């Protein structure tokens, strides 16, 4: 199976910065895409950013350049650098991995982390 370990969440003041990390482990042959999603109370889960194995990135329009996604392929780890945080960024942030795995052969599947709470408040 595949396990995702998230870390880096917490309480920060408006305008502050935070870095989230997500490390994947297990019977992974290749990771296609790693990304971050978030869900606030009363809202649907939405894409924040993701990055492909080739380094192509995608960001949500509402970020306005405040966040940066990066990855360390050797460690199967993805990071989300969050700057100029706003109260509206408060949510549970989930890591997602789209990967080729060993399961009765080679299979493509998607996995979610447990989520890490980010709270932006003064």
């Amino acid at each position: 199976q595949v396990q995702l370990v998230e870390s880096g969440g917490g309480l920060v003041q408006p305008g502050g910065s935070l870095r989230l990390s997500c490390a994947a482990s297990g019977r992974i042959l290749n990771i296609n895409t790693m990304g971050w999603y978030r869900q606030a109370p009363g809202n649907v889960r939405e894409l924040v950013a993701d990055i492909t194995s080739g380094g192509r990135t995608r960001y949500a329009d509402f970020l306005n350049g405040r966040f940066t996604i990066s990855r360390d392929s050797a460690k199967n780890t993805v990071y989300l650098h969050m700057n100029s945080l706003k109260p509206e960024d408060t949510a549970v942030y989930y890591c997602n991995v789209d990967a080729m795995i060993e399961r009765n052969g080679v299979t493509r599947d998607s996995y979610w982390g447990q989520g890490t709470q980010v709270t932006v408040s003064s």
Side-chain angles (χ1 to χ4, degrees):
Q1 60 179 356
V2 174
Q3 297 83 39
L4 302 180
V5 179
E6 301 179 0
S7 63
L11 174 65
V12 297
Q13 295 183 342
S17 299
L18 203 62
R19 188 183 76 163
L20 306 183
S21 65
C22 174
S25 62
R27 296 181 178 272
I28 301 172
L29 301 178
N30 182 66
I31 294 178
N32 302 312
T33 304
M34 303 186 78
W36 291 95
Y37 294 72
R38 71 185 188 186
Q39 186 168 15
N43 292 85
V44 299
R45 189 171 299 185
E46 61 183 353
L47 171 73
V48 177
D50 60 17
I51 183 169
T52 69
S53 60
R56 180 170 59 87
T57 58
R58 179 174 60 165
Y59 294 94
D61 291 338
F62 57 76
L63 296 179
N64 293 322
R66 296 182 297 118
F67 294 3
T68 301
I69 190 169
S70 63
R71 68 186 296 174
D72 185 336
S73 296
K75 298 180 179 180
N76 285 339
T77 300
V78 63
Y79 304 93
L80 184 66
H81 303 261
M82 304 185 293
N83 301 309
S84 301
L85 284 162
K86 304 176 180 180
E88 305 92 90
D89 296 319
T90 297
V92 177
Y93 285 69
Y94 296 91
C95 176
N96 179 264
V97 174
D98 183 324
M100 304 299 295
I101 64 172
E102 291 187 38
R103 180 189 293 171
N104 297 319
V106 179
T107 303
R108 181 175 182 174
D109 211 343
S110 181
Y111 298 88
W112 292 96
Q114 81 284 355
T116 183
Q117 177 70 48
V118 172
T119 302
V120 185
S121 176
S122 60

